[in-house]
Amino acid sequence: MLLLQGAGRPLHRVLVRQGFRLANRNSALGRNWDALEASQWWSAEALRVHQWGKLQRLVAHAFNQSPYYRRAMADVGLTPQDIRSPEDFARLPLADKQTINAQREAMVTQQFPRARLIKTASGGSTGAPVSLYHDPDFVAAYRAVKLRNFGWAGWRPGDAWARLWGAPFDVAPHQQLKQQVWDGLTRVMVLPCWDLSEATMAQYAGRLRRFRPEVIEAYVTPMYHFARFLDARGITWIEPRGIICSAEILFDHQRDLIQRVFGCKV
């Protein structure tokens, strides 16, 4: 597309940014994003009070509406009224991956329409994926948090964003023609990281050079291997404003190398 090249790039960025804001002006995503943009400047005490109030309401909702959480709290002799401090909250039973997979249906609140549930799963980077449900309100809140966090890395809607990603259910939609057209319009590039051969990494380096992403989001280990590949070949032309790593622990030696190779904060 002409707007993605040369002098058209700034115009395309402005059009996407304005269109995004207009489309989400009265949406759950837009409201959540506006709230997060404002709350990031609150004092630590104001944030603590706000968070604690939301947490208490969440505990009460889980107890009243979820068969699993009502049973789990009853097993340790707790009710929502007993949760008056962070120390009380620490008494709530933990749910591990096996529990979530086994009790997924019982965790869902009784009144929520099952047809609106969105089934998803973790990437399984620690050995076994966790299968769970989202609802549309969570998706809007999650996307708003991501927008705020990407803003911290220097990105805004309309800026180019690349993703070096490994979860098949996240990557698969971006391999469909309809989504690829949308990705081109909104300046998104998704690069699967399950086959990081030297040939693949050389291809990705060329694509990222042409794409010029403002932000790159990536799994830690694939990003570290990619950075080592670029470093060994003296490739320095990929210069995002920031890099966001997730899905794994980011060790200091990995952060140091990635920051040096890409010339930005991680």
Side-chain angles (χ1 to χ4, degrees):
M1 292 180 61
L2 177 60
L3 287 177
L4 294 179
Q5 301 173 11
R9 190 181 296 263
L11 174 60
H12 182 255
R13 178 186 291 114
V14 170
L15 291 174
V16 171
R17 188 166 298 169
Q18 292 180 344
F20 182 89
R21 268 299 186 184
L22 183 63
N24 291 285
R25 181 174 49 187
N26 296 313
S27 69
L29 169 60
R31 291 191 296 272
N32 276 287
W33 191 19
D34 287 341
L36 288 169
E37 289 286 282
S39 65
Q40 67 181 320
W41 306 111
W42 292 357
S43 68
E45 177 61 18
L47 283 171
R48 189 196 66 78
V49 170
H50 177 72
Q51 291 168 344
W52 184 247
K54 294 187 71 172
L55 186 60
Q56 287 183 308
R57 291 192 294 274
L58 178 62
V59 170
H61 175 72
F63 182 86
N64 292 326
Q65 296 294 332
S66 166
Y68 168 80
Y69 283 108
R70 183 163 55 251
R71 183 173 63 249
M73 291 177 66
D75 287 346
V76 294
L78 286 176
T79 68
Q81 290 71 33
D82 297 319
I83 310 300
R84 301 187 183 93
S85 69
E87 291 73 25
D88 294 333
F89 182 75
R91 296 168 57 198
L92 291 172
L94 298 177
D96 57 21
K97 293 191 296 184
Q98 290 75 22
T99 301
I100 295 171
N101 281 332
Q103 301 292 331
R104 179 174 58 252
E105 299 300 327
M107 288 180 169
V108 178
T109 57
Q110 296 170 312
Q111 305 301 321
F112 195 84
R114 289 304 194 269
R116 296 187 67 214
L117 291 174
I118 304 165
K119 192 171 184 179
T120 185
S122 68
S125 58
T126 58
V130 178
S131 182
L132 65 160
Y133 292 118
H134 292 167
D135 67 13
D137 288 340
F138 168 82
V139 173
Y142 167 79
R143 290 182 62 201
V145 169
K146 194 161 190 172
L147 286 168
R148 194 269 309 273
N149 293 353
F150 271 47
W152 290 344
W155 180 91
R156 283 286 186 256
D159 292 338
W161 161 40
R163 201 178 196 197
L164 187 62
W165 212 244
F169 56 84
D170 284 336
V171 174
H174 296 274
Q175 297 175 325
Q176 305 298 317
L177 179 60
K178 182 178 179 181
Q179 184 62 45
Q180 288 175 346
V181 172
W182 181 248
D183 287 347
L185 290 171
T186 55
R187 306 184 71 204
V188 173
M189 175 180 287
V190 178
L191 304 171
C193 65
W194 48 70
D195 173 28
L196 280 187
S197 64
E198 290 200 356
T200 299
M201 288 191 286
Q203 180 192 49
Y204 286 178
R207 291 180 63 183
L208 289 169
R209 181 181 189 178
R210 294 187 295 272
F211 188 59
R212 292 188 289 169
E214 272 82 10
V215 166
I216 299 175
E217 182 185 22
Y219 279 23
V220 172
T221 299
M223 193 59 171
Y224 177 63
H225 285 308
F226 188 43
R228 290 180 62 187
F229 171 84
L230 299 177
D231 191 41
R233 286 151 185 79
I235 296 174
T236 59
W237 57 65
I238 304 170
E239 299 176 308
R241 296 175 188 164
I243 291 174
I244 298 174
C245 286
S246 64
E248 307 167 70
I249 295 173
L250 178 64
F251 294 103
D252 289 342
H253 72 279
Q254 295 171 319
R255 182 193 301 272
D256 291 344
L257 177 69
I258 296 170
Q259 290 186 154
R260 179 171 60 80
V261 169
F262 290 93
C264 66
K265 289 288 188 179
V266 176

